[in-house]
Amino acid sequence: MTTVLVVDGANVVGARPDGWWKDRAGAARRLHEGLLVADTPYDEIVLVLEGAAKAGVRAGRDGHVRTVHAPKDGDATIVAETKAAAERGARVTVVTADRMLQARAGAWGQTLSPTWLLDQL
């Protein structure tokens, strides 16, 4: 079974007070770079970016990381990516601290905290 990790980029970046708000695109790029080399048990990582963060990483696949630019709010895109992966038969995990998003995405997979992911990087 394929395993997919869907990452709420804004939520993960926002979990660490390192000045990310001064350079959202740079923070997204650093997260993407970390995901490329992270030792995780997932076959595919889907990084969802929204707003100014989209300027930091182009949409598309880079190795096992696929970056998706949310057309509006990231939550709807995260739920759509989670549902699509689950419907393909994948085991899906969503990384977010957003309780509403956890409840919505939890219908198709499990959720983990941004702290868990940051510890992997």
Side-chain angles (χ1 to χ4, degrees), residues 5 8 15 17 21 26 32 34-35 40 56 59 61 72 77 81 94 109 114:
L5 184 69
D8 180 347
W21 52 90
H32 179 261
L35 292 171
T40 70
R61 183 171 297 281
K72 293 186 181 180
T77 302
E81 289 290 331
V94 177

Side-chain angles (χ1 to χ4, degrees), residues 17 21 23 29 34 43 46 49 61 71 73 75 85 94 104:
W21 52 90
D23 182 11
R29 186 174 47 258
D43 299 311
V46 179
L49 299 175
R61 183 171 297 281
D73 71 292
D75 290 5
V94 177
R104 290 174 63 195

Side-chain angles (χ1 to χ4, degrees), residues 16-38:
R16 190 184 293 167
D18 61 0
W20 60 265
W21 52 90
K22 297 176 193 171
D23 182 11
R24 293 171 194 264
R29 186 174 47 258
R30 288 187 298 277
L31 174 58
H32 179 261
E33 289 167 355
L35 292 171
L36 286 172
V37 298

Side-chain angles (χ1 to χ4, degrees), residues 60-98:
R61 183 171 297 281
D62 190 358
H64 68 291
V65 178
R66 183 168 54 89
T67 301
V68 176
H69 288 176
K72 293 186 181 180
D73 71 292
D75 290 5
T77 302
I78 291 164
V79 170
E81 289 290 331
T82 302
K83 181 180 178 189
E87 288 175 346
R88 288 191 309 270
R91 189 173 71 228
V92 187
T93 301
V94 177
V95 176
T96 187
D98 181 321

